[in-house]
Amino acid sequence: MDFILVLAKIQPKDGCQDTIIELANELIYETLQEEGNIEYRLLKSSEDDELTFVEKWESPEALKKHMGSPHFLNFGEESEEFVKNMDIQVIDAKEIKF
């Protein structure tokens, strides 16, 4: 199965990790309801404060639609003041079964 993989790494400002996680709850819930979404998780690093959204999408079109959704835009606006840095990778992937 071909899919789009997104790794969105967030470095929170000091003391802001929990706030970002709290703000992400609605985003995650709403995104999991979207057509074309396969998986959407927020992972917390065991080494530092970094958070990583791991997303799987059926197509680039589904991802683009998500990026224009009210819950995605709202999360971006609400979390902006708590984020020190963000790095986003979008990868065209193919599942390999062993």
Side-chain angles (χ1 to χ4, degrees):
M1 171 176 85
D2 293 346
F3 58 92
I4 303 300
L5 176 67
V6 178
L7 300 174
K9 296 180 181 183
I10 298 172
Q11 183 62 49
K13 291 181 180 175
D14 291 340
C16 295
Q17 184 189 56
D18 290 341
T19 302
I20 293 171
I21 292 171
E22 186 176 316
L23 292 172
N25 286 333
E26 182 179 349
L27 171 66
I28 294 165
Y29 175 79
E30 293 294 332
T31 300
L32 289 170
Q33 313 306 312
E34 288 184 48
E35 185 176 333
N37 178 257
I38 301 168
E39 184 175 340
Y40 202 86
R41 297 174 186 252
L42 181 60
L43 305 179
K44 185 174 161 180
S45 173
S46 62
E47 297 174 2
D48 55 27
D49 284 347
E50 186 175 84
L51 300 168
T52 303
F53 280 100
V54 178
E55 311 172 28
K56 286 172 68 175
W57 295 92
E58 289 179 359
S59 67
E61 294 77 24
L63 175 57
K64 287 179 189 174
K65 186 174 180 182
H66 164 68
M67 293 173 67
S69 68
H71 48 273
F72 178 83
L73 297 172
N74 188 46
F75 174 77
E77 290 174 12
E78 289 184 344
S79 65
E80 182 177 23
E81 67 183 282
F82 305 109
V83 174
K84 183 188 302 182
N85 189 35
M86 182 181 289
D87 177 54
I88 302 173
Q89 293 178 295
V90 180
I91 302 160
D92 189 8
K94 182 175 186 172
E95 185 175 5
I96 299 173
K97 299 209 182 218
F98 291 93

XYZ file of all heavy atoms in Angstrom:
802
model
N 0.850 -1.186 0.000
C 0.000 0.000 0.000
C 0.892 1.245 0.000
O 1.782 1.370 0.824
C -0.896 -0.016 1.238
C -1.663 1.267 1.449
S -2.811 1.229 2.829
C -1.744 1.643 4.185
N 0.645 2.146 -0.907
C 1.332 3.434 -0.927
C 0.592 4.402 -0.003
O -0.636 4.342 0.120
C 1.352 4.010 -2.340
C 2.215 3.194 -3.289
O 3.002 2.360 -2.820
O 2.092 3.398 -4.495
N 1.341 5.281 0.638
C 0.730 6.280 1.510
C 1.692 7.446 1.687
O 2.856 7.379 1.296
C 0.334 5.684 2.870
C 1.468 5.063 3.638
C 2.198 5.809 4.558
C 1.818 3.743 3.444
C 3.249 5.252 5.260
C 2.867 3.163 4.147
C 3.574 3.914 5.062
N 1.190 8.503 2.272
C 1.990 9.676 2.611
C 2.263 9.613 4.114
O 1.343 9.445 4.917
C 1.242 10.984 2.267
C 0.859 11.020 0.787
C 2.065 12.203 2.666
C 2.004 10.940 -0.174
N 3.517 9.741 4.479
C 3.926 9.738 5.883
C 4.380 11.145 6.249
O 5.158 11.758 5.515
C 5.077 8.747 6.091
C 5.689 8.686 7.489
C 4.683 8.126 8.484
C 6.952 7.836 7.476
N 3.889 11.629 7.368
C 4.297 12.945 7.864
C 4.896 12.761 9.256
O 4.314 12.105 10.110
C 3.102 13.923 7.943
C 3.544 15.269 8.508
C 2.446 14.092 6.583
N 6.077 13.339 9.448
C 6.722 13.407 10.762
C 6.857 14.879 11.101
O 7.654 15.589 10.493
C 8.084 12.737 10.732
C 8.100 11.257 10.349
C 9.536 10.767 10.209
C 7.343 10.430 11.371
N 6.057 15.334 12.028
C 6.065 16.746 12.432
C 6.631 16.831 13.844
O 5.945 16.525 14.826
C 4.664 17.338 12.364
N 7.897 17.227 13.945
C 8.586 17.295 15.233
C 8.441 18.693 15.818
O 8.724 19.686 15.156
C 10.054 16.937 15.068
C 10.258 15.511 14.625
C 11.726 15.195 14.478
C 11.878 13.751 14.015
N 13.290 13.375 13.927
N 8.020 18.731 17.072
C 7.805 20.001 17.774
C 8.740 20.070 18.976
O 8.765 19.157 19.805
C 6.348 20.128 18.266
C 5.385 20.114 17.086
C 6.172 21.377 19.114
C 3.931 20.049 17.488
N 9.486 21.151 19.063
C 10.290 21.425 20.252
C 9.552 22.504 21.042
O 9.521 23.665 20.633
C 11.694 21.906 19.876
C 12.592 22.132 21.069
C 12.830 20.855 21.863
O 13.156 19.819 21.321
N 12.650 20.936 23.164
N 8.919 22.132 22.154
C 8.177 23.122 22.949
C 9.122 24.102 23.652
O 10.270 23.771 23.940
C 7.453 22.280 23.995
C 7.549 20.870 23.541
C 8.783 20.790 22.704
N 8.612 25.280 23.917
C 9.335 26.194 24.803
C 9.360 25.556 26.186
O 8.521 24.703 26.513
C 8.633 27.555 24.848
C 8.746 28.315 23.538
C 8.061 29.670 23.634
C 8.186 30.411 22.307
N 7.427 31.679 22.319
N 10.318 25.970 27.012
C 10.466 25.397 28.353
C 9.146 25.437 29.115
O 8.498 26.483 29.198
C 11.540 26.143 29.138
C 12.939 25.887 28.589
O 13.132 24.871 27.881
O 13.840 26.701 28.867
N 8.760 24.283 29.652
C 7.559 24.187 30.471
C 6.257 24.139 29.699
O 5.183 24.174 30.315
N 6.301 24.048 28.381
C 5.079 24.134 27.564
C 4.637 22.807 26.944
O 3.632 22.764 26.238
C 5.263 25.173 26.463
S 5.459 26.856 27.086
N 5.356 21.730 27.216
C 5.016 20.443 26.598
C 3.576 20.023 26.917
O 2.818 19.636 26.026
C 5.990 19.360 27.053
C 5.740 18.029 26.368
C 6.553 16.914 26.985
O 6.461 16.671 28.183
N 7.341 16.248 26.163
N 3.181 20.071 28.176
C 1.835 19.646 28.565
C 0.752 20.499 27.914
O -0.308 19.990 27.554
C 1.672 19.671 30.087
C 2.474 18.568 30.774
O 2.843 17.583 30.095
O 2.721 18.691 31.987
N 1.017 21.779 27.763
C 0.045 22.670 27.116
C -0.163 22.272 25.660
O -1.295 22.212 25.176
C 0.516 24.138 27.196
O 0.695 24.484 28.576
C -0.485 25.078 26.547
N 0.919 21.965 24.970
C 0.815 21.548 23.569
C 0.051 20.232 23.466
O -0.814 20.075 22.593
C 2.201 21.445 22.920
C 2.829 22.841 22.825
C 2.109 20.808 21.530
C 4.275 22.853 22.392
N 0.333 19.302 24.344
C -0.381 18.019 24.339
C -1.874 18.256 24.562
O -2.717 17.676 23.858
C 0.200 17.067 25.397
C 1.615 16.652 25.010
C -0.702 15.847 25.582
C 2.368 15.895 26.090
N -2.207 19.095 25.507
C -3.615 19.401 25.784
C -4.289 20.030 24.562
O -5.400 19.657 24.193
C -3.714 20.328 26.989
C -5.135 20.589 27.432
C -5.201 21.445 28.686
O -4.423 21.183 29.621
O -6.027 22.374 28.711
N -3.612 20.974 23.919
C -4.167 21.620 22.727
C -4.316 20.630 21.563
O -5.203 20.790 20.717
C -3.283 22.790 22.291
C -3.251 23.998 23.216
C -2.179 24.987 22.762
C -4.623 24.670 23.263
N -3.469 19.615 21.544
C -3.491 18.642 20.444
C -4.649 17.657 20.546
O -5.003 17.021 19.542
C -2.174 17.882 20.391
N -5.261 17.520 21.699
C -6.318 16.518 21.871
C -7.454 16.676 20.871
O -7.887 15.706 20.253
C -6.851 16.535 23.305
C -5.887 15.914 24.283
O -5.090 15.057 23.927
N -5.935 16.367 25.527
N -7.965 17.879 20.691
C -9.056 18.101 19.739
C -8.577 17.860 18.308
O -9.286 17.258 17.500
C -9.629 19.510 19.862
C -10.793 19.734 18.902
C -11.409 21.117 19.011
O -11.099 21.874 19.952
O -12.203 21.444 18.122
N -7.374 18.330 17.994
C -6.808 18.117 16.664
C -6.748 16.620 16.343
O -7.156 16.185 15.265
C -5.401 18.719 16.578
C -4.592 18.387 15.326
C -5.222 19.004 14.091
C -3.158 18.846 15.502
N -6.255 15.838 17.259
C -6.132 14.393 17.042
C -7.506 13.761 16.862
O -7.729 12.999 15.916
C -5.362 13.743 18.204
C -3.915 14.235 18.219
C -5.424 12.223 18.119
C -3.164 13.943 19.506
N -8.428 14.087 17.743
C -9.777 13.513 17.653
C -10.422 13.839 16.307
O -10.944 12.947 15.626
C -10.653 14.034 18.806
C -12.073 13.570 18.678
C -12.427 12.276 19.062
C -13.057 14.397 18.147
C -13.730 11.826 18.925
C -14.356 13.955 18.001
C -14.690 12.674 18.389
O -15.989 12.230 18.239
N -10.403 15.099 15.913
C -11.035 15.516 14.656
C -10.324 14.930 13.442
O -10.965 14.529 12.470
C -11.060 17.043 14.556
C -11.952 17.724 15.567
C -13.430 17.423 15.380
O -13.857 17.144 14.237
O -14.158 17.462 16.395
N -9.008 14.855 13.487
C -8.242 14.348 12.354
C -8.514 12.865 12.124
O -8.602 12.412 10.980
C -6.741 14.595 12.564
O -6.523 16.008 12.693
C -5.920 14.075 11.392
N -8.673 12.106 13.190
C -8.956 10.684 13.050
C -10.298 10.426 12.358
O -10.527 9.330 11.845
C -8.910 9.989 14.419
C -7.511 9.858 15.016
C -7.592 9.385 16.464
C -6.648 8.913 14.185
N -11.160 11.441 12.311
C -12.460 11.311 11.637
C -12.373 11.663 10.146
O -13.313 11.424 9.394
C -13.505 12.234 12.293
C -13.570 12.201 13.798
C -13.754 10.829 14.390
O -14.609 10.072 13.955
N -12.924 10.483 15.353
N -11.265 12.237 9.725
C -11.146 12.721 8.355
C -11.023 11.592 7.336
O -10.323 10.607 7.575
C -9.904 13.619 8.213
C -10.039 14.955 8.881
C -8.825 15.829 8.630
O -8.389 15.934 7.471
O -8.319 16.395 9.616
N -11.685 11.792 6.210
C -11.546 10.865 5.100
C -10.109 10.946 4.579
O -9.549 12.026 4.440
C -12.516 11.251 3.984
C -12.523 10.283 2.836
C -13.559 10.626 1.787
O -14.583 11.258 2.121
O -13.332 10.263 0.626
N -9.513 9.798 4.345
C -8.145 9.758 3.838
C -7.090 9.637 4.919
O -5.914 9.436 4.619
N -7.488 9.739 6.191
C -6.530 9.567 7.279
C -6.421 8.098 7.635
O -7.427 7.430 7.828
C -6.942 10.377 8.513
C -5.975 10.165 9.660
O -6.268 9.431 10.585
N -4.823 10.780 9.581
N -5.201 7.599 7.723
C -4.952 6.206 8.102
C -4.533 6.126 9.565
O -4.972 5.249 10.300
C -3.852 5.590 7.200
C -4.284 5.652 5.734
C -3.542 4.163 7.633
C -3.162 5.343 4.749
N -3.685 7.061 9.982
C -3.172 7.055 11.354
C -2.750 8.467 11.722
O -2.256 9.217 10.884
C -1.973 6.106 11.448
C -1.415 5.943 12.829
C -0.302 4.901 12.887
O -0.196 4.054 11.984
O 0.477 4.956 13.852
N -2.930 8.818 13.002
C -2.551 10.146 13.474
C -2.240 10.029 14.955
O -3.137 9.810 15.773
C -3.706 11.124 13.236
C -3.301 12.569 13.177
C -2.866 13.142 11.993
C -3.379 13.385 14.301
C -2.509 14.472 11.917
C -3.019 14.723 14.231
C -2.595 15.248 13.039
O -2.239 16.580 12.963
N -0.970 10.125 15.315
C -0.543 9.958 16.710
C 0.398 11.084 17.120
O 1.141 11.605 16.290
C 0.214 8.644 16.888
C -0.599 7.418 16.622
C 0.287 6.196 16.697
N -0.436 5.016 16.306
C -0.812 4.071 17.155
N -0.525 4.169 18.423
N -1.463 3.017 16.715
N 0.389 11.379 18.391
C 1.350 12.310 18.965
C 2.218 11.525 19.923
O 1.733 10.942 20.893
C 0.641 13.451 19.693
C 1.560 14.501 20.319
C 2.436 15.180 19.265
C 0.739 15.533 21.079
N 3.521 11.478 19.628
C 4.464 10.734 20.457
C 5.321 11.693 21.277
O 5.724 12.746 20.790
C 5.371 9.874 19.570
C 4.661 8.916 18.609
C 5.691 8.150 17.789
C 3.749 7.964 19.356
N 5.595 11.276 22.489
C 6.405 12.071 23.417
C 7.750 11.386 23.568
O 7.814 10.192 23.860
C 5.646 12.106 24.747
C 6.210 12.954 25.814
C 5.213 12.932 26.971
C 5.841 13.362 28.246
N 4.896 13.359 29.366
N 8.828 12.126 23.372
C 10.175 11.574 23.480
C 10.479 11.166 24.916
O 10.082 11.839 25.862
C 11.197 12.612 23.016
O 12.507 12.156 23.262
N 11.235 10.093 25.057
C 11.680 9.678 26.385
C 13.007 10.343 26.750
O 13.481 10.215 27.875
C 11.835 8.152 26.440
O 12.814 7.731 25.520
N 13.603 11.068 25.798
C 14.917 11.684 26.023
C 14.866 13.178 26.337
O 15.732 13.704 27.014
C 15.793 11.468 24.786
C 16.068 10.010 24.505
C 16.820 9.799 23.209
O 17.166 10.789 22.525
O 17.056 8.633 22.877
N 13.850 13.864 25.787
C 13.745 15.307 25.995
C 12.277 15.710 25.868
O 11.395 14.854 25.944
C 14.638 16.073 25.000
C 14.348 15.718 23.551
O 13.209 15.312 23.230
O 15.261 15.860 22.717
N 12.002 16.999 25.674
C 10.623 17.488 25.600
C 10.005 17.388 24.201
O 8.866 17.785 24.002
C 10.562 18.956 26.046
C 10.674 19.107 27.550
O 10.554 18.092 28.257
O 10.869 20.247 28.013
N 10.756 16.860 23.227
C 10.260 16.835 21.851
C 8.983 16.003 21.717
O 8.839 14.941 22.322
C 11.329 16.268 20.921
C 10.936 16.341 19.453
C 12.065 15.894 18.547
O 12.185 14.670 18.337
O 12.822 16.760 18.092
N 8.070 16.517 20.909
C 6.832 15.830 20.554
C 6.851 15.590 19.055
O 7.337 16.441 18.302
C 5.618 16.692 20.920
C 5.475 17.063 22.391
C 4.418 18.152 22.558
C 5.116 15.833 23.207
N 6.310 14.462 18.613
C 6.291 14.163 17.188
C 4.920 13.654 16.775
O 4.434 12.649 17.310
C 7.346 13.106 16.819
O 8.633 13.573 17.226
C 7.356 12.851 15.320
N 4.304 14.366 15.840
C 3.103 13.850 15.201
C 3.553 12.856 14.136
O 4.413 13.177 13.310
C 2.311 14.974 14.514
C 1.475 15.790 15.448
C 1.914 17.025 15.890
C 0.235 15.333 15.875
C 1.144 17.796 16.747
C -0.541 16.098 16.736
C -0.088 17.330 17.171
N 3.000 11.653 14.166
C 3.238 10.649 13.140
C 1.908 10.455 12.429
O 0.917 10.045 13.038
C 3.731 9.318 13.744
C 3.918 8.274 12.647
C 5.020 9.536 14.517
N 1.902 10.780 11.136
C 0.656 10.779 10.376
C 0.797 9.901 9.136
O 1.833 9.912 8.489
C 0.320 12.192 9.897
C 0.389 13.242 10.963
C 0.233 14.648 10.401
O -0.427 14.820 9.350
O 0.779 15.576 11.015
N -0.262 9.175 8.829
C -0.320 8.409 7.583
C -1.590 8.836 6.841
O -2.673 8.843 7.419
C -0.348 6.905 7.860
C 0.994 6.358 8.308
C 0.920 4.921 8.758
C 0.636 3.948 7.663
N 0.690 2.528 8.130
N -1.400 9.154 5.563
C -2.498 9.630 4.724
C -2.588 8.805 3.456
O -1.563 8.377 2.923
C -2.277 11.115 4.372
C -2.339 11.979 5.580
C -1.295 12.361 6.368
C -3.505 12.520 6.169
N -1.743 13.119 7.416
C -3.105 13.239 7.319
C -4.855 12.480 5.846
C -4.007 13.907 8.132
C -5.757 13.149 6.665
C -5.334 13.858 7.796
N -3.806 8.636 2.959
C -4.010 7.863 1.736
C -3.438 8.553 0.502
O -3.044 7.887 -0.442
C -5.505 7.595 1.521
C -6.080 6.612 2.509
C -7.569 6.382 2.305
O -8.182 6.997 1.398
O -8.129 5.583 3.073
N -3.411 9.893 0.524
C -2.987 10.625 -0.671
C -2.533 12.033 -0.295
O -2.898 12.549 0.767
C -4.152 10.731 -1.660
O -5.179 11.549 -1.111
N -1.781 12.681 -1.201
C -1.412 14.080 -0.969
C -2.645 14.978 -0.882
O -2.658 15.939 -0.120
C -0.557 14.445 -2.188
C -0.052 13.150 -2.721
C -1.119 12.140 -2.405
N -3.681 14.638 -1.629
C -4.916 15.446 -1.607
C -5.578 15.403 -0.232
O -6.066 16.425 0.262
C -5.896 14.948 -2.682
C -5.410 15.153 -4.099
C -4.353 14.146 -4.549
O -4.279 13.031 -3.993
O -3.565 14.499 -5.467
N -5.593 14.222 0.394
C -6.167 14.104 1.733
C -5.371 14.932 2.740
O -5.942 15.598 3.604
C -6.217 12.637 2.164
N -4.042 14.908 2.613
C -3.192 15.703 3.499
C -3.436 17.193 3.286
O -3.556 17.950 4.253
C -1.721 15.362 3.280
C -0.701 16.207 4.050
C -0.937 16.147 5.551
C 0.710 15.775 3.704
N -3.528 17.620 2.041
C -3.784 19.042 1.748
C -5.114 19.492 2.327
O -5.217 20.589 2.885
C -3.749 19.289 0.243
C -2.359 19.246 -0.333
C -2.383 19.466 -1.833
C -1.016 19.215 -2.437
N -1.023 19.287 -3.895
N -6.130 18.644 2.210
C -7.444 18.981 2.776
C -7.338 19.133 4.293
O -7.900 20.054 4.874
C -8.463 17.908 2.394
C -9.863 18.243 2.805
C -10.858 17.225 2.288
C -12.254 17.601 2.724
N -13.250 16.616 2.296
N -6.609 18.215 4.924
C -6.396 18.282 6.376
C -5.732 19.608 6.769
O -6.132 20.247 7.738
C -5.524 17.098 6.815
C -4.941 17.253 8.179
N -5.700 17.243 9.329
C -3.651 17.414 8.591
C -4.916 17.402 10.372
N -3.656 17.509 9.956
N -4.727 20.006 5.992
C -3.989 21.226 6.328
C -4.837 22.490 6.194
O -4.462 23.530 6.736
C -2.728 21.304 5.467
C -1.730 20.207 5.819
S -0.321 20.112 4.706
C 0.484 21.656 5.079
N -5.969 22.404 5.538
C -6.891 23.536 5.437
C -8.076 23.419 6.371
O -8.951 24.289 6.391
N -8.117 22.347 7.175
C -9.264 22.119 8.064
C -9.247 23.089 9.243
O -8.188 23.529 9.690
C -9.251 20.676 8.578
O -8.152 20.469 9.448
N -10.433 23.421 9.762
C -10.503 24.339 10.907
C -9.723 23.849 12.127
O -9.052 24.646 12.791
C -11.997 24.417 11.224
C -12.680 24.044 9.950
C -11.762 23.062 9.269
N -9.767 22.561 12.429
C -9.071 22.062 13.621
C -7.554 22.113 13.457
O -6.841 22.381 14.417
C -9.545 20.656 14.016
C -9.593 19.683 12.898
N -10.694 19.557 12.080
C -8.694 18.779 12.447
C -10.463 18.614 11.183
N -9.251 18.135 11.378
N -7.048 21.908 12.238
C -5.605 22.018 11.993
C -5.163 23.478 12.129
O -4.180 23.779 12.806
C -5.271 21.490 10.598
C -3.812 21.619 10.238
C -2.897 20.673 10.644
C -3.359 22.691 9.480
C -1.547 20.787 10.313
C -2.020 22.815 9.137
C -1.117 21.863 9.566
N -5.890 24.379 11.493
C -5.543 25.805 11.549
C -5.667 26.341 12.971
O -4.824 27.122 13.426
C -6.428 26.592 10.585
C -6.248 26.225 9.100
C -7.310 26.918 8.254
C -4.854 26.554 8.614
N -6.693 25.892 13.688
C -6.905 26.326 15.064
C -5.757 25.872 15.961
O -5.253 26.650 16.782
C -8.242 25.789 15.580
C -8.620 26.365 16.921
O -8.521 27.566 17.135
N -9.067 25.514 17.814
N -5.318 24.622 15.806
C -4.189 24.136 16.602
C -2.941 24.971 16.328
O -2.216 25.337 17.254
C -3.908 22.654 16.306
C -2.666 22.158 16.985
C -2.677 21.864 18.335
C -1.481 22.003 16.280
C -1.514 21.424 18.976
C -0.330 21.555 16.906
C -0.348 21.262 18.259
N -2.693 25.266 15.073
C -1.529 26.073 14.719
C -1.538 27.434 15.394
O -0.520 27.889 15.926
N -2.692 28.074 15.392
C -2.815 29.399 16.010
C -2.672 29.318 17.528
O -1.977 30.119 18.139
C -4.157 30.027 15.645
C -4.261 30.444 14.194
C -5.652 30.941 13.826
O -6.484 31.176 14.739
O -5.916 31.076 12.622
N -3.354 28.345 18.140
C -3.354 28.239 19.603
C -2.000 27.800 20.166
O -1.633 28.198 21.264
C -4.438 27.264 20.063
C -5.842 27.796 19.887
C -6.892 26.843 20.437
O -6.583 25.658 20.683
O -8.042 27.286 20.611
N -1.279 26.975 19.437
C -0.026 26.426 19.969
C 1.202 27.262 19.619
O 2.272 27.069 20.216
C 0.179 24.999 19.455
O 0.358 24.988 18.059
N 1.069 28.191 18.689
C 2.212 28.953 18.181
C 3.073 29.566 19.288
O 4.296 29.491 19.248
C 1.718 30.038 17.228
C 2.812 30.850 16.603
C 2.281 31.867 15.609
O 1.103 32.252 15.696
O 3.064 32.280 14.753
N 2.449 30.139 20.291
C 3.217 30.825 21.341
C 3.972 29.860 22.265
O 4.840 30.274 23.029
C 2.305 31.726 22.174
C 1.290 30.979 23.013
C 0.366 31.907 23.775
O 0.807 32.452 24.817
O -0.770 32.090 23.310
N 3.654 28.561 22.194
C 4.279 27.569 23.067
C 5.371 26.752 22.369
O 6.005 25.907 22.984
C 3.214 26.620 23.623
C 2.093 27.339 24.313
C 0.832 27.401 23.747
C 2.305 27.987 25.520
C -0.201 28.074 24.372
C 1.283 28.666 26.157
C 0.019 28.712 25.585
N 5.554 26.989 21.067
C 6.489 26.204 20.267
C 7.780 26.973 20.025
O 7.754 28.106 19.556
C 5.842 25.817 18.907
C 6.851 25.134 18.002
C 4.625 24.930 19.135
N 8.910 26.335 20.345
C 10.213 26.924 20.082
C 10.633 26.673 18.627
O 11.136 27.552 17.948
C 11.256 26.307 21.016
C 12.647 26.904 20.875
C 13.703 26.136 21.672
C 13.377 26.071 23.131
N 14.411 25.366 23.931
N 10.405 25.442 18.160
C 10.821 25.067 16.804
C 9.948 23.921 16.309
O 9.485 23.105 17.103
C 12.288 24.639 16.811
C 12.842 24.451 15.427
O 12.487 25.171 14.498
N 13.710 23.471 15.267
N 9.751 23.873 14.991
C 9.002 22.780 14.384
C 9.694 22.366 13.095
O 10.137 23.212 12.325
C 7.557 23.198 14.096
C 6.716 22.075 13.513
S 5.019 22.558 13.149
C 4.371 22.720 14.794
N 9.786 21.058 12.885
C 10.376 20.508 11.671
C 9.398 19.490 11.106
O 8.996 18.550 11.812
C 11.719 19.837 11.988
C 12.335 19.187 10.766
O 12.489 19.881 9.742
O 12.645 17.984 10.837
N 8.999 19.664 9.849
C 8.013 18.784 9.232
C 8.620 18.103 8.013
O 9.170 18.769 7.140
C 6.748 19.566 8.825
C 6.141 20.240 10.056
C 5.738 18.638 8.151
C 5.001 21.179 9.756
N 8.510 16.787 7.985
C 8.935 15.998 6.837
C 7.700 15.319 6.250
O 6.917 14.710 6.992
C 9.921 14.908 7.242
C 11.246 15.409 7.724
C 12.122 14.245 8.148
O 11.824 13.546 9.097
N 13.186 14.037 7.397
N 7.537 15.402 4.939
C 6.464 14.710 4.238
C 7.125 13.713 3.299
O 7.953 14.095 2.468
C 5.570 15.694 3.463
C 4.459 14.951 2.731
C 4.988 16.752 4.402
N 6.759 12.443 3.448
C 7.443 11.365 2.752
C 6.430 10.545 1.959
O 5.395 10.124 2.497
C 8.158 10.453 3.777
C 9.141 11.282 4.614
C 8.842 9.291 3.081
C 9.532 10.663 5.915
N 6.740 10.307 0.698
C 5.952 9.397 -0.130
C 6.449 7.992 0.184
O 7.604 7.667 -0.062
C 6.153 9.748 -1.601
C 5.225 9.005 -2.528
O 4.305 8.312 -2.039
O 5.404 9.111 -3.752
N 5.600 7.157 0.794
C 6.060 5.878 1.315
C 5.299 4.697 0.699
O 4.204 4.854 0.182
C 5.879 5.857 2.833
N 5.911 3.556 0.814
C 5.308 2.318 0.366
C 5.538 1.292 1.454
O 6.668 1.098 1.919
C 5.937 1.863 -0.942
C 5.330 0.599 -1.492
C 5.919 0.281 -2.838
C 5.191 -0.915 -3.428
N 5.583 -1.154 -4.824
N 4.480 0.625 1.874
C 4.588 -0.385 2.914
C 5.323 -1.606 2.370
O 5.075 -2.055 1.254
C 3.197 -0.782 3.399
C 3.209 -1.732 4.543
C 1.818 -2.011 5.076
O 0.831 -1.527 4.495
O 1.741 -2.705 6.090
N 6.220 -2.138 3.185
C 6.957 -3.344 2.834
C 6.619 -4.396 3.872
O 6.789 -4.175 5.065
C 8.484 -3.085 2.813
C 8.827 -2.020 1.775
C 9.230 -4.382 2.566
C 10.280 -1.584 1.809
N 6.126 -5.521 3.426
C 5.758 -6.602 4.354
C 6.890 -7.618 4.378
O 7.384 -8.021 3.348
C 4.463 -7.249 3.929
C 3.323 -6.260 3.923
C 2.027 -6.912 4.189
C 0.969 -5.828 4.113
N -0.053 -5.955 5.038
N 7.277 -8.033 5.564
C 8.324 -9.029 5.737
C 7.708 -10.368 6.068
O 6.758 -10.495 6.704
C 9.296 -8.617 6.850
C 10.121 -7.436 6.488
C 9.721 -6.150 6.822
C 11.315 -7.591 5.809
C 10.503 -5.053 6.502
C 12.099 -6.494 5.489
C 11.681 -5.227 5.836
